[in-house]
Amino acid sequence: MTSGGTHDAPTTRKGRGTEMTAAIEIQGLHKSFGDLHVLRGIDFTVAPGEVVCVIGPSGSGKSTLLRCANLLERPTAGRVVLAGTDVTDPDVDIDLVRRRIGMVFQQFNLFAHLNVLENLTIAQRRVLGRGKEEAAQVARQNLARVGLADKEDSYPAQLSGGQQQRVAIARALSMGPELMLFDEPTSALDPELVGDVLAVMRSLADEGMTMMVVTHEMGFAREVADRVVFMDGGVVVEAGPPNEVLIRPEHARTRSFLARVVHPTDVET
C-alpha cells in the first residue's frame, strides 16, 4: 500500500497486468474554483482492465477528479493522459476525447421525451455518425447486457430509478468507451434498487472494462475493486488493494472515515 506521492497501478489481484500503456494517468492534478482549492496534486495511474474505487468524505474532491478526467472540468494544473495521449493539451479535440470515456452520473440524465431505444441511439447517430439500424443494433446489445432488453419502447418515467440508471450505463456503453467513470451511481437510488445496478457494474468488471468508480458502497469496493483510493481534503491519503485499505488502513484519517461508514459485513474476510 502506498500513501502520498504517485500511486502507480500494481499487478491486479484479478491477474490483469500492467505491461500495456496506462488506460489513464493523472499527474500533479490541481483544480481550484476561485479561492477554493479542491484538488491538491493528485497522482495515480489506472491500468487497462483495472477497477479503481475512489472513496472518501463529501467534499474530498472525488467527483471533481472524475470530471477533470473527462474534461467536464478543466484542470487548473497537471496532466491527464489517456492511453498515451495528453488530453489536457490545449490543442486536443475535447469531443474526440469524450468519445473514448463513458461517464455515469448520480442522476440519470435521460431524455424524458425519448424512449429507451432512442435515448441509446441519439448520441451514436449524432456523434459517431452511425446509421439508424447500426445504432439500434448496438443499443439492443447493450440493453441486453444490463438486463433491460424488454424495455426499449419504454419511456424513462415508466422505469424505476434502478432501471433508469442501467439505461444510462447502456447508453454510455453504446458509445464504445475505453474507460468508464462512475460518479456515485447508486446514491440517488432507493436501497432495494441498488443491487441490480451494482450487479451490472460487477459484470462489466468481469468483462475487463477499465473503470474508475466513486462510491460509498464499501461492500462493492471490497468485492470488485483491484485498488481502493481514499481521498480527503483534495489529496490521496492512501491507496492499495481493498483488503489493505478497507481492513488494515495505515492512516488514522482512513481508519476514522471507515469507522463511520463501514458496516462489518462490508469487509468481512
Side-chain angles (χ1 to χ4, degrees):
M1 179 160 49
T2 56
S3 57
T6 300
H7 299 270
D8 293 325
T11 300
T12 67
R13 64 189 173 96
K14 293 180 183 140
R16 299 196 280 260
T18 60
E19 297 303 317
M20 295 182 287
T21 301
I24 189 166
E25 186 174 1
I26 295 169
Q27 305 171 349
L29 192 66
H30 289 256
K31 178 62 182 179
S32 295
F33 298 95
D35 294 332
L36 181 62
H37 199 172
V38 178
L39 300 178
R40 300 172 176 269
I42 302 292
D43 298 278
F44 68 85
T45 299
V46 180
E50 188 179 24
V51 178
V52 175
C53 283
V54 184
I55 64 172
S58 297
S60 60
K62 307 182 303 296
S63 294
T64 301
L65 172 63
L66 288 194
R67 293 177 66 85
C68 286
N70 75 345
L71 303 184
L72 287 176
E73 298 287 353
R74 273 285 186 181
T76 304
R79 302 170 72 224
V80 177
V81 182
L82 178 66
T85 299
D86 182 357
V87 300
T88 44
D89 186 313
D91 296 326
V92 76
D93 184 337
I94 294 178
D95 291 333
L96 186 60
V97 169
R98 289 184 182 141
R99 294 181 198 180
R100 302 168 65 184
I101 304 175
M103 187 156 184
V104 178
F105 300 89
Q106 298 177 30
Q107 301 299 326
F108 322 124
N109 299 324
L110 301 176
F111 294 109
H113 66 291
L114 300 180
N115 67 26
V116 166
L117 188 66
E118 291 166 338
N119 265 281
L120 266 66
T121 57
I122 185 170
Q124 292 187 67
R125 298 180 66 186
R126 292 185 178 180
V127 177
L128 301 182
R130 288 175 179 160
K132 181 178 180 179
E133 293 305 318
E134 180 186 6
Q137 180 181 9
V138 171
R140 291 185 175 108
Q141 289 171 348
N142 285 297
L143 284 173
R145 289 173 77 180
V146 302
L148 293 174
D150 61 338
K151 297 296 184 180
E152 68 173 67
D153 294 322
S154 299
Y155 285 82
Q158 298 172 311
L159 304 177
S160 70
Q163 289 172 329
Q164 290 185 61
Q165 190 61 292
R166 283 188 281 157
V167 169
I169 294 172
R171 179 180 58 186
L173 292 172
S174 294
M175 301 298 286
E178 302 168 24
L179 169 70
M180 287 285 288
L181 307 178
F182 293 86
D183 187 6
E184 298 196 21
T186 61
S187 65
L189 302 180
D190 292 334
E192 65 268 24
L193 303 178
V194 168
D196 289 340
V197 173
L198 294 181
V200 169
M201 295 170 65
R202 286 187 185 95
S203 68
L204 293 178
D206 290 340
E207 292 171 14
M209 175 63 74
T210 308
M211 298 162 58
M212 286 179 61
V213 183
V214 170
T215 185
H216 59 272
E217 299 287 344
M218 298 300 157
F220 174 83
R222 167 72 174 81
E223 178 185 347
V224 178
D226 296 301
R227 265 186 310 146
V228 173
V229 174
F230 172 64
M231 289 182 62
D232 189 33
V235 301
V236 173
V237 176
E238 64 180 295
N243 284 344
E244 295 183 12
V245 175
L246 297 179
I247 297 176
R248 296 181 296 276
E250 291 181 354
H251 285 260
R253 182 64 187 96
T254 314
R255 292 194 292 271
S256 174
F257 171 76
L258 292 173
R260 289 175 170 83
V261 301
V262 174
H263 188 276
T265 58
D266 288 336
V267 295
E268 64 185 3
T269 55

